[in-house]
Amino acid sequence: GQNIDQPTEMTATEGAIVQINCTYQTSGFNGLFWYQQHAGEAPTFLSYNVLDGLEEKGRFSSFLSRSKGYSYLLLKELQMKDSASYLCAVSGSARQLTFGSGTQLTVLP
Amino acid sequence: DADVTQTPRNRITKTGKRIMLECSQTKGHDRMYWYRQDPGLGLRLIYYSFDVKDINKGEISDGYSVSRQAQAKFSLSLESAIPNQTALYFCATSDPGRGQGVETQYFGPGTRLLVL
């Protein structure tokens, strides 16, 4: 089976940097994905990592360590519109995605 | 135009009724998925299909059935709805990634279902 853990809630200030952690235990690994979901809306794809290391996409970066079963999503220069839930998801041996419960990020002015 | 659409967007039904949720996509993807989302539980996979007529059970398939009659359409049925099936339902599609081994899933806007 697969188990994914991420913090339930985080709060940060506009303009700051925030790191959202995700740890996982999985049978088979084909990649780790991060999605953003605003309340009542569909999840939207942010980034993925297949190999160890850092992937950067503008204000968003994602890091993966397969040996530690660990990933993080780094958001820089936070904006109010970044207030959302951030979902960590692992693609396992069957290439299905297993999602964590999500981290609700609140950005304060 | 949305690439993945779901109908209806909102539905209220009564216990014991049969209902169908529809998903259509114009992305040309072979793979389609149905998830439900409940507060605090994240997204859970109900059924998935890798091609027309291919059906696979996900984590929580009991009480649900699906049909994949065409590449672009994947429907989810609740044969006899019960209150604990009240949730937000999402359809998603993916492409095997042209051999790159990475499959990104793209989600529809969701259907909010309330079973009374």
Side-chain angles (χ1 to χ4, degrees):
Chain A
Q2 308 202 91
N3 188 46
I4 300 173
D5 288 313
Q6 49 183 130
T8 303
E9 296 178 327
M10 298 184 71
T11 303
T13 305
E14 193 174 14
I17 299 173
V18 70
Q19 177 175 311
I20 302 174
N21 296 324
C22 172
T23 58
Y24 65 89
Q25 295 170 318
T26 182
S27 53
F29 179 85
N30 283 296
L32 188 140
F33 294 76
W34 285 96
Y35 282 81
Q36 180 191 60
Q37 185 179 24
H38 286 98
E41 297 182 9
T44 54
F45 170 71
L46 285 179
S47 69
Y48 71 82
N49 296 72
V50 179
L51 301 176
D52 291 352
L54 190 67
E55 294 285 340
E56 297 188 78
K57 265 185 159 185
R59 294 190 299 113
F60 296 84
S61 303
S62 58
F63 171 83
L64 175 67
S65 169
R66 289 172 296 171
S67 63
K68 294 181 180 179
Y70 168 69
S71 173
Y72 67 72
L73 179 70
L74 193 70
L75 292 76
K76 304 175 187 174
E77 301 170 12
L78 279 173
Q79 302 175 9
M80 299 298 290
K81 67 178 182 180
D82 297 329
S83 291
S85 183
Y86 291 85
L87 312 177
C88 172
V90 174
S91 176
S93 54
R95 299 191 184 277
Q96 298 165 40
L97 285 183
T98 300
F99 285 83
S101 299
T103 298
Q104 181 63 46
L105 174 66
T106 301
V107 180
L108 301 174
Chain B
D1 288 342
D3 291 325
V4 185
T5 58
Q6 293 183 231
T7 55
R9 294 294 313 279
N10 294 280
R11 178 75 185 266
I12 300 174
T13 192
K14 294 182 179 179
T15 297
K17 293 291 188 181
R18 181 183 188 275
I19 67 162
M20 180 182 291
L21 309 183
E22 304 273 8
C23 176
S24 295
Q25 52 115 348
T26 58
K27 298 181 81 68
H29 289 172
D30 287 329
R31 302 183 173 189
M32 298 186 74
Y33 309 80
W34 274 106
Y35 292 90
R36 68 176 278 174
Q37 187 173 37
D38 300 274
L41 292 179
L43 286 156
R44 292 182 291 166
L45 183 64
I46 306 172
Y47 273 97
Y48 62 101
S49 168
F50 283 177
D51 204 346
V52 176
K53 300 293 176 72
D54 175 67
I55 302 294
N56 303 282
K57 292 184 177 180
E59 180 187 351
I60 52 163
S61 59
D62 287 349
Y64 302 94
S65 63
V66 290
S67 174
R68 183 88 185 275
Q69 297 293 330
Q71 188 208 37
K73 296 185 185 297
F74 192 33
S75 59
L76 175 72
S77 294
L78 286 68
E79 297 300 326
S80 180
I82 56 177
N84 78 358
Q85 290 178 313
T86 292
L88 185 54
Y89 289 84
F90 287 104
C91 173
T93 73
S94 71
D95 183 326
R98 303 189 180 108
Q100 296 173 4
V102 179
E103 276 188 58
T104 300
Q105 291 189 16
Y106 298 91
F107 287 80
T111 295
R112 192 171 296 278
L113 176 66
L114 173 61
V115 183
L116 300 175

